Amino acid sequence: MTVRTLAVVGTGLIGTSVALAARRHRVTVYLFDRDESAVRAAAALGAGRPEPPPRPVDLAVLAVPPSQIAPVLAREQARGLARSYTDVASVKARPEREILATAPDPSSYIGGHPMAGRERSGPLAARAELFQGRPWVLTPTRFTAKPAFDRALDLITLCGGVPRVMRARAHDDAVALISHAPHLLASLMAARLRDGPAPAARLAGQGVRDVTRIARGDSRLWGDIVESNAAAVAAVLTRLQEELAGVLAALYDLAQPDGGPGPETRGKSRHTLVDLLERGIAGVGELPEDRPENSDH
Amino acid sequence: MTVRTLAVVGTGLIGTSVALAARRHRVTVYLFDRDESAVRAAAALGAGRPEPPPRPVDLAVLAVPPSQIAPVLAREQARGLARSYTDVASVKARPEREILATAPDPSSYIGGHPMAGRERSGPLAARAELFQGRPWVLTPTRFTAKPAFDRALDLITLCGGVPRVMRARAHDDAVALISHAPHLLASLMAARLRDGPAPAARLAGQGVRDVTRIARGDSRLWGDIVESNAAAVAAVLTRLQEELAGVLAALYDLAQPDGGPGPETRGKSRHTLVDLLERGIAGVGELPEDRPENSDH
């Protein structure tokens, strides 16, 4: 193992979970956060020491929102916090662009994203097992040097994750589809629940609860995430919006009394709905097995 | 108890679950289904007898798709299957209209909808506990006579459900919001998963799985349901579509490189996203407690 000392910058859910996993392997961990209480909470959980390291650590994990990665990396490289740097943000392309433009040493950085999370946020929600068996994407740039790559792979091993190497752009397109767009859809549906008739929510069952569950995530963090991946998220939601328009046209046809549109129009509209429902069933089939213990970022 | 004999017409998930619950209270149950194998399967599970009753039963439960309720009720009333009739469809207004126009005796019918279900369908997915503690809506018309009402209430008691009396229209508006629109949204999102980049689905976690889970439901049945409640579902999805348009406009603003829209526009767009995310969190808060053992229709 080339990672014996670790710095975690940002002791929220993910940063503290990484620290807890590393501690289990006797790695010495140093904790940082703008929020003093978050550092104290993480340290109290046994995640590491709430103090600066005496000398540069092997690897620093930047567990900050996407928009903060480039500035925090520049700051920490300037003061020599670590030999190598990675991050855990769920957006990779825009931070990478900013880093290549501003970082003192792009060669010691590699982007990372563990595909695990919870709705609950903050150090108290952290769990050492959070990354167990989950994909952990690495996005090396053409400048990334081998030591940074190797130390990031070691970190993933320490956390029990499954490394996947991707281009930043490909990663962002993928998470726009499987995480960011679903989150905004869940929020759109959940927001509607408030303008419903009084008894509606009382009748609600597990279905709508599942559809809207991820909408509980931290609104500031998610605002930063979707903004940082705005183009890819917009592309997914634009295709969805186009299909929604067709579905609405079909529903309005079918809402008319039988004297309304002729049997042919009704038949087409029915087909539109059933075709969507069938492609939906097929789409769910594309997903890997349920892993109830973890939830998507 | 005024229900000692029961007929279940349609031995799918809901019909067979009702039969199993009634059998636990020693009610004599007679099973019907167009599909012989479904009746045999239900009978094999101990749900009742796969044969016509010697004389009219106390209550007949029509567990058929919304579009079939009026014709099946007319047929069964004509041959005198039962003293009273109810159904379990998740749409109430359109069937009620059709029944008032075509049923031999509207007074012996009361609409019903147990707010419970599973993605899996068919008799083999049935469970006697499916309705335990779940709301069960009754929608009496101005013609519904007391015996029909009382027998439906007895059935709900036998199934362990919680009766709620509503107007058919109010029920349909509510389920459009908490069940039918979420189902179509889940299908729209799930359908998108198929046009994603290859590795996307492999990276998927619990979040997108939950958002799309209900999309696995039977496509024919759900096509019938959303068609039967088309106007109310369209109203919910139209409001959602309007907000989606605003979200997309904000995303396209924020997708432009700095030097694109001015700071004021960016600020407005950020506000649009965070405002949605926050109203989403509040919307999830409107829902009752998790009941993982059951899922919404």
Side-chain angles (χ1 to χ4, degrees):
Chain A
M1 279 291 172
T2 63
V3 175
R4 294 217 161 65
T5 56
L6 187 73
V8 171
V9 182
T11 54
L13 167 69
I14 302 298
T16 306
S17 296
V18 168
L20 289 171
R23 290 293 303 129
R24 287 196 172 179
H25 295 273
R26 301 208 159 55
V27 173
T28 305
V29 181
Y30 299 90
L31 306 170
F32 300 84
D33 200 292
R34 284 181 318 190
D35 175 355
E36 269 306 316
S37 65
V39 177
R40 276 198 302 276
L45 292 169
R49 308 177 182 179
E51 65 201 34
R55 63 195 66 79
V57 295
D58 297 322
L59 180 65
V61 178
L62 311 182
V64 297
S67 66
Q68 297 308 304
I69 295 167
V72 170
L73 178 66
R75 185 188 73 207
E76 298 303 338
Q77 285 190 329
R79 70 173 187 179
L81 173 65
R83 295 185 182 77
S84 301
Y85 299 84
T86 188
D87 74 293
V88 294
S90 60
V91 181
K92 303 261 69 78
R94 186 181 288 193
E96 179 178 295
R97 257 198 328 274
E98 295 167 352
I99 283 163
L100 295 186
T102 63
D105 174 19
S107 71
S108 68
Y109 165 81
I110 183 169
H113 178 211
M115 302 300 300
R118 308 179 67 186
E119 283 61 55
R120 296 175 50 208
S121 53
L124 299 181
R127 298 181 303 186
E129 318 74 35
L130 189 61
F131 314 104
Q132 201 63 46
R134 300 288 306 146
W136 187 315
V137 177
L138 291 177
T139 56
T141 70
R142 64 189 188 284
F143 299 109
T144 302
K146 190 165 182 310
F149 206 142
D150 291 343
R151 291 184 178 118
L153 288 169
D154 283 354
L155 177 69
I156 296 174
T157 305
L158 291 171
C159 294
V162 181
R164 296 226 182 292
V165 176
M166 295 174 72
R167 292 287 208 70
R169 183 74 264 151
H171 165 275
D172 288 3
D173 290 341
V175 291
L177 182 67
I178 56 123
S179 175
H180 305 166
H183 190 106
L184 288 180
L185 263 199
S187 300
L188 285 163
M189 188 64 239
R192 295 268 67 78
L193 295 175
R194 303 183 70 195
D195 52 31
R202 280 214 321 280
L203 296 178
Q206 195 57 30
V208 64
R209 235 196 148 38
D210 286 346
V211 170
T212 56
R213 187 178 59 78
I214 54 174
R216 289 182 294 188
D218 179 287
S219 59
R220 283 250 197 88
L221 172 61
W222 275 94
D224 194 311
I225 290 171
V226 292
E227 173 175 355
S228 302
N229 200 22
V233 177
V236 174
L237 290 180
T238 297
R239 289 196 297 276
L240 190 143
Q241 182 188 40
E242 286 157 8
E243 179 150 28
L244 174 57
V247 166
L248 275 167
L251 287 171
Y252 281 117
D253 276 339
L254 295 167
Q256 296 177 52
D258 288 338
E264 200 181 320
T265 310
R266 283 185 177 277
K268 281 210 188 96
S269 299
R270 275 195 193 103
H271 174 76
T272 299
L273 294 180
V274 173
D275 174 63
L276 166 65
L277 292 163
E278 280 168 0
R279 286 184 297 110
I281 292 167
V284 174
E286 305 266 315
L287 296 173
E289 280 310 292
D290 251 319
R291 296 184 44 79
E293 67 275 19
N294 284 352
S295 61
D296 194 86
H297 240 294
Chain B
M1 280 291 172
T2 63
V3 175
R4 294 218 158 64
T5 57
L6 186 74
V8 171
V9 181
T11 55
L13 166 69
I14 302 297
T16 305
S17 295
V18 168
L20 288 171
R23 289 294 302 129
R24 289 197 169 177
H25 295 272
R26 302 207 157 59
V27 173
T28 305
V29 180
Y30 298 90
L31 306 171
F32 301 83
D33 199 292
R34 286 182 317 191
D35 175 354
E36 268 307 315
S37 63
V39 177
R40 277 197 303 273
L45 292 169
R49 308 176 181 179
E51 63 201 34
R55 63 193 68 77
V57 294
D58 296 321
L59 179 65
V61 178
L62 311 182
V64 298
S67 66
Q68 296 309 303
I69 295 167
V72 170
L73 179 65
R75 184 188 74 209
E76 298 303 338
Q77 286 190 329
R79 68 172 186 178
L81 173 65
R83 294 184 183 79
S84 302
Y85 299 84
T86 187
D87 72 295
V88 295
S90 61
V91 181
K92 304 262 67 80
R94 188 181 289 193
E96 179 177 295
R97 259 202 320 277
E98 296 166 351
I99 284 163
L100 296 186
T102 64
D105 174 20
S107 71
S108 69
Y109 165 81
I110 182 169
H113 177 212
M115 302 300 299
R118 307 179 67 186
E119 284 60 56
R120 297 176 51 211
S121 53
L124 299 180
R127 299 182 301 186
E129 319 72 35
L130 190 60
F131 313 104
Q132 202 62 47
R134 301 287 303 144
W136 188 313
V137 176
L138 291 178
T139 56
T141 70
R142 64 187 187 286
F143 299 109
T144 302
K146 189 164 183 309
F149 205 144
D150 291 343
R151 290 182 178 120
L153 287 170
D154 283 354
L155 176 70
I156 296 174
T157 305
L158 291 171
C159 294
V162 181
R164 297 227 182 291
V165 176
M166 296 174 72
R167 292 288 206 73
R169 184 74 265 151
H171 165 275
D172 288 4
D173 290 341
V175 291
L177 182 67
I178 55 122
S179 174
H180 305 166
H183 191 106
L184 288 179
L185 262 199
S187 299
L188 285 162
M189 187 63 239
R192 295 268 66 77
L193 295 175
R194 303 184 70 195
D195 52 29
R202 281 214 321 278
L203 298 179
Q206 194 58 28
V208 64
R209 235 193 184 318
D210 286 345
V211 170
T212 56
R213 188 178 57 80
I214 54 174
R216 289 183 294 189
D218 178 286
S219 59
R220 285 252 196 86
L221 172 61
W222 276 94
D224 194 311
I225 289 171
V226 292
E227 173 175 354
S228 302
N229 200 23
V233 177
V236 174
L237 290 181
T238 297
R239 290 195 296 275
L240 190 144
Q241 182 188 41
E242 287 159 7
E243 179 149 30
L244 174 57
V247 167
L248 275 168
L251 287 172
Y252 281 118
D253 277 339
L254 295 168
Q256 295 178 53
D258 299 329
E264 198 180 325
T265 310
R266 284 185 179 274
K268 280 208 189 96
S269 299
R270 271 192 199 108
H271 174 76
T272 300
L273 293 180
V274 173
D275 174 63
L276 166 65
L277 293 162
E278 280 168 1
R279 285 184 297 110
I281 292 167
V284 175
E286 306 266 315
L287 296 173
E289 279 311 292
D290 250 320
R291 298 182 44 80
E293 67 274 19
N294 283 352
S295 61
D296 194 85
H297 239 293

